[in-house]
Amino acid sequence: MKHHAAGFAAAIAILNALGVSPADAQTIATLTKGQSNPIVRGVRVGSETMATKLGYKSMHFVPRTENSVPEQLALVDEVLSNKPDALVFSPSDPKAFVPAVDKFNAAGIAVVNVI
């Protein structure tokens, strides 16, 4: 249950930052650093649960290899092409992803980092 709280907190932070209402039909995406880490798994579950509860769409971008910077960097373009309204982001190397966050910001995607 503790891991779900991280996801809920991230989703709530995003929704508050966006100031959205259910009529706005928003999309929340997650870009996490792997499949097996219980905290980032909780972030995905929590974000999806909150999105579903509020009537929003959710999508997940997860590299196949745990903590793979190249795979996660490749997913950045996929996130951008899907144009979510908000992103819960757990970078495998925070410094390596500063340019990616700049791209998300330029695209108008609200970003909440979970590090």
Side-chain angles (χ1 to χ4, degrees), residues 23-112:
D24 294 323
Q26 302 294 316
T27 301
I28 300 173
T30 60
L31 174 55
T32 56
K33 57 186 170 184
Q35 299 178 19
S36 64
N37 181 302
I39 293 173
V40 295
R41 188 172 44 231
V43 167
R44 287 191 303 274
V45 170
S47 294
E48 179 141 356
T49 300
M50 186 59 110
T52 300
K53 184 175 184 176
L54 295 172
Y56 300 154
K57 299 175 187 174
S58 65
M59 57 181 66
H60 305 286
F61 302 89
V62 184
R64 293 175 194 244
T65 306
E66 204 72 25
N67 293 315
S68 172
V69 172
E71 280 186 60
Q72 201 175 24
L73 279 171
L75 290 171
V76 167
D77 291 331
E78 201 171 325
V79 171
L80 289 166
S81 70
N82 279 278
K83 300 178 183 172
D85 298 290
L87 175 67
V88 181
F89 185 34
S90 178
S92 49
D93 178 353
K95 290 181 182 179
F97 285 92
V98 169
V101 173
D102 290 341
K103 287 181 183 181
F104 296 139
N105 289 333
I109 299 170
V111 178
V112 172

